Amino acid sequence: QQQVKQSPQSLIVQKGGISIINCAYENTAFDYFPWYQQFPGKGPALLIAIRPDVSEKKEGRFTISFNKSAKQFSLHIMDSQPGDSATYFCAARVYGGSQGNLIFGKGTKLSVKP
Amino acid sequence: KAGVTQTPRYLIKTRGQQVTLSCSPISGHRSVSWYQQTPGQGLQFLFEYFSETQRNKGNFPGRFSGRQFSNSRSEMNVSTLELGDSALYLCASSYGPPTEAFFGQGTRLTVV
């Protein structure tokens, strides 16, 4: 019940295309869902996050879509660029709880071809 | 504003040795969490400290331990190193447990 399942494992997208990464969870106590971007040799960087009281959040080219009833959320990268090539992790946590640990998906390696 | 600083960046140790990794959180942040990242298991939670108290612990053996100091800096220790402990160890800091977490660049530990 603590798992976050992420798909696909890898993704190849042409420059200018839309990249879509999906995640699903079981624990209904989760109420904070961040996405992290990680480049080789670097730590994960917080990209965008959502709480389940909204169905969508957009920041620049990055959008999170959230479906509470299906317990699924996804990251959309519009107009994908070669510089977006990185590994993306979804995560979940009980936002209001005293324990702040994140449960991560296994990651998606995105390659954007020029 | 300086980010999360982890030292050292790289370490090579021999099986059976012990190792101590250090993490300095973002100024003002009082919560520090540690994660282990491996290609096979992904990012796994080790433990979380807030105001010098361990608030949460992941499913790792007792060889993994940590502590937090009054200035919020944290250290983690791994004793009796095994080959399988080779990983990127990441530290994340936040104002408090339920807020946004920011990661350092990690310490790459190789056990030979």
Side-chain angles (χ1 to χ4, degrees), chain A residues 36 38 42 93 95 100-102, chain B residues 35 37 48 56 98-99 101:
Chain A
Y36 284 84
Q38 186 177 29
K42 304 289 187 181
R93 184 176 70 194
Y95 190 80
N101 61 292
L102 292 160
Chain B
Y35 293 82
Q37 186 175 26
E48 176 195 7
N56 195 10
T99 56

Side-chain angles (χ1 to χ4, degrees), chain B:
Chain B
K1 196 174 187 181
V4 179
T5 303
Q6 291 189 246
T7 56
R9 289 292 312 279
Y10 303 92
L11 265 178
I12 298 176
K13 289 288 187 178
T14 304
R15 270 182 302 173
Q17 286 186 313
Q18 74 166 19
V19 67
T20 299
L21 313 182
S22 179
C23 172
S24 292
I26 293 170
S27 178
H29 284 193
R30 296 167 63 193
S31 176
V32 172
S33 297
W34 289 88
Y35 293 82
Q36 180 195 64
Q37 186 175 26
T38 59
Q41 297 300 315
L43 282 148
Q44 292 188 291
F45 171 72
L46 280 156
F47 24 68
E48 176 195 7
Y49 288 88
F50 179 73
S51 294
E52 301 179 67
T53 301
Q54 186 181 92
R55 295 179 67 111
N56 195 10
K57 190 176 190 301
N59 190 25
F60 277 82
R63 300 185 295 108
F64 292 81
S65 62
R67 58 178 175 168
Q68 187 180 34
F69 302 96
S70 57
N71 61 358
S72 295
R73 191 177 70 85
S74 178
E75 289 180 348
M76 68 163 280
N77 184 78
V78 188
S79 62
T80 319
L81 284 165
E82 300 177 359
L83 294 178
D85 297 333
S86 295
L88 181 67
Y89 289 88
L90 292 158
C91 167
S93 80
S94 63
Y95 281 110
T99 56
E100 293 176 338
F102 298 90
F103 283 85
Q105 294 203 72
T107 294
R108 171 74 62 185
L109 172 65
T110 302
V111 182
V112 298

